[in-house]
Amino acid sequence: MILLYSFVIYACIFSCGAQDSSLDNLIADIFKTDETQPSSTIQPTPQVPNVSVSPKDSTPTGTAQYQSCGYQKECVPRWLCSNNTINTSGENIIDIRIDTDASCKNPLDLCCDLPNKRTEPDGSFVIPKAPEGCGYSNPNGVGFKITGAVNQESEFGEFPWMLAILREEGQLNLYECGGALIAPDVVLTAAHCVHNKQPSTIVVRAGEWDTQTKSEVVPHEDRYVKEIVYHEQFNKGALYNDVAVLLLESPFTLQSNIQPVCLPNVGDIFDFERCYATGWGKNKFGKDGEYQVILKKVDLPVVPNQRCEANLRETRLGRHFILDKSFICAGGEKDKDTCKGDGGSPLVCPIKGQANRYKSAGIVAWGIGCGEVNIPGVYANVAQLRPWIDSKLKLWNISPIYYTP
């Protein structure tokens, strides 16, 4: 994902067919899991990838050996330090710039006096209760708050509907695209992400944040896919009607960092609103772009379709290009965009009059490059496609209570 400095993964209409040769290897590293066959609730063991962020010190024997951070001090998981600084109010913050002068390399660790170090949580670290209803973000994070997020890092659990859709290949789970949770056992994503895929090969992960560790304060959960349904009029060349819903074999456990997003009403217009896209995508277009380790967020203006069409006609699409009504556009600001690999990820817009509450406006579909001035990214229009989504949810007897504000 291209943020003001670095960000999201696109599924570009003109580029996703020609994946970088190293893509599978890189994504396999980032989202690697253990070699056991998952059940309906998979317990993966991600390996520390050889990416830009330093790994946490550990030992394969299972006995943690913590990094020293001073005399009689060690970096330990935050909930294992009983020095009365652990809280859920957000007062105890960490520096996400983990490759600078932070005393602990891992952003989830705390520099703890050895006399306060524990082997079990002391009971003071309490995960906040999940809100009732869809679309509530956690702007202060879940369990802790980060600071120094100069590259648009999201808080842990800030966007609890964000999902990673993985493709099972042998004993590996390879990152395929993003998605959004709209009910405990239903995923909203792009059709191009799952077109012609077998449900048994797809795994959905909720609650993911830092792909280099499984030490988040609340662990992620994985589920197999039972059924894939994509729009009958999906056009795999032009990406018209680029929407799909996935029914999971078992529901996710709704909690503070795993929650559904609200769906918009039919006909909702989001023009000129500033909305958020999230993902683990590339920070720039082309071979020099790097996939992100920590979930990123980017705020984008929704661009009216008529203006978006005019802007896109100035690109290689040419002056006869017509923007289909199944699309919505957002972006057009320098270095702020979704990018390659973000396909299927949600674009969410604020619900008016309700603080920190969002509904899905778009699904990352395609673009011309990433992060260029006056060239918005193109998303599937969820409000336009809502009748189709409703028809599929009705067939599965999914209650509207999960996705209705």
Side-chain angles (χ1 to χ4, degrees):
M1 178 172 282
I2 296 180
L3 301 185
L4 190 52
Y5 300 95
S6 67
F7 202 26
V8 201
I9 311 176
Y10 242 163
C12 293
I13 185 172
F14 298 104
S15 64
C16 34
Q19 296 282 343
D20 298 337
S21 62
S22 62
L23 175 58
D24 278 355
N25 291 335
L26 175 60
I27 298 303
D29 277 344
I30 293 179
F31 284 89
K32 189 177 295 180
T33 57
D34 65 11
E35 299 181 358
T36 58
Q37 292 299 318
S39 60
S40 60
T41 302
I42 303 170
Q43 300 296 329
T45 306
Q47 303 297 312
V48 177
N50 184 20
V51 203
S52 58
V53 183
S54 301
K56 183 173 71 173
D57 294 337
S58 63
T59 176
T61 65
T63 302
Q65 294 181 353
Y66 298 108
Q67 167 198 341
S68 174
C69 53
Y71 178 70
Q72 290 292 296
K73 292 177 179 286
E74 285 184 348
C75 294
V76 302
R78 306 174 68 78
W79 50 93
L80 294 183
C81 186
S82 58
N83 58 359
N84 298 319
T85 62
I86 303 299
N87 59 70
T88 60
S89 67
E91 294 179 10
N92 185 43
I93 56 179
I94 62 176
D95 193 337
I96 198 66
R97 291 171 290 184
I98 53 184
D99 57 349
T100 61
D101 58 356
S103 57
C104 294
K105 294 179 180 179
N106 191 298
L108 296 173
D109 284 353
L110 180 71
C111 186
C112 184
D113 291 322
L114 288 182
N116 294 317
K117 177 182 165 185
R118 302 174 62 93
T119 57
E120 297 293 336
D122 63 2
S124 64
F125 192 83
V126 179
I127 301 302
K129 183 180 178 181
E132 294 185 5
C134 61
Y136 286 101
S137 68
N138 296 300
N140 293 317
V142 173
F144 65 92
K145 181 175 172 58
I146 64 175
T147 187
V150 296
N151 288 325
Q152 304 285 349
E153 292 87 356
S154 69
E155 300 288 345
F156 172 68
E158 183 175 1
F159 301 96
W161 48 81
M162 182 67 200
L163 304 171
I165 297 177
L166 313 174
R167 183 179 78 254
E168 192 174 63
E169 191 168 291
Q171 295 177 333
L172 294 176
N173 285 337
L174 307 178
Y175 181 79
E176 192 74 19
C177 55
L181 194 68
I182 57 174
D185 55 352
V186 181
V187 176
L188 182 67
T189 188
H192 76 258
C193 290
V194 293
H195 184 245
N196 290 333
K197 299 282 194 313
Q198 294 299 316
S200 60
T201 67
I202 301 297
V203 174
V204 176
R205 177 169 296 174
E208 182 64 279
W209 180 64
D210 182 345
T211 64
Q212 282 196 341
T213 180
K214 61 173 184 176
S215 298
E216 285 95 344
V217 295
V218 183
H220 62 248
E221 295 187 8
D222 288 2
R223 298 290 188 272
Y224 273 125
V225 172
K226 181 179 181 180
E227 188 174 351
I228 297 174
V229 180
Y230 51 84
H231 202 290
E232 294 80 4
Q233 294 172 321
F234 166 63
N235 184 309
K236 66 179 181 179
L239 297 191
Y240 300 158
N241 304 302
D242 191 15
V243 61
V245 285
L246 316 181
L247 180 65
L248 305 178
E249 291 213 350
S250 62
F252 283 113
T253 303
L254 297 185
Q255 51 195 356
S256 53
N257 69 323
I258 302 177
Q259 288 285 309
V261 69
C262 301
L263 292 181
N265 296 319
V266 176
D268 273 359
I269 302 295
F270 300 98
D271 291 354
F272 304 109
E273 292 188 28
R274 292 205 76 89
C275 304
Y276 278 104
T278 48
W280 289 277
K282 278 195 171 185
N283 59 350
K284 65 177 70 173
F285 187 71
K287 64 180 181 179
D288 294 330
E290 295 181 354
Y291 290 88
Q292 304 302 288
V293 173
I294 290 176
L295 181 67
K296 300 296 183 71
K297 62 182 178 182
V298 60
D299 66 295
L300 301 166
V302 174
V303 179
N305 276 27
Q306 186 174 2
R307 179 191 296 179
C308 181
E309 181 179 85
N311 288 344
L312 292 174
R313 284 179 174 181
E314 297 297 318
T315 70
R316 63 175 180 267
L317 293 173
R319 60 191 180 94
H320 298 296
F321 172 75
I322 297 175
L323 185 68
D324 190 72
K325 65 181 180 180
S326 68
F327 294 129
I328 185 175
C329 299
E333 298 178 346
K334 180 65 175 174
D335 293 335
K336 296 181 73 173
D337 203 352
T338 49
C339 199
K340 188 173 181 179
D342 283 324
S345 296
L347 173 74
V348 299
C349 295
I351 296 178
K352 293 181 175 63
Q354 301 189 50
N356 304 319
R357 200 176 189 190
Y358 295 85
K359 52 185 168 182
S360 173
I363 304 168
V364 177
W366 59 274
I368 303 297
C370 306
E372 300 295 330
V373 175
N374 292 327
I375 304 180
V378 183
Y379 301 73
N381 188 334
V382 179
Q384 174 71 29
L385 296 165
R386 177 69 193 270
W388 180 88
I389 297 170
D390 284 344
S391 68
K392 305 311 173 187
L393 298 181
K394 187 175 181 180
L395 288 176
W396 292 336
N397 295 315
I398 305 299
S399 173
I401 192 173
Y402 292 115
Y403 50 83
T404 302

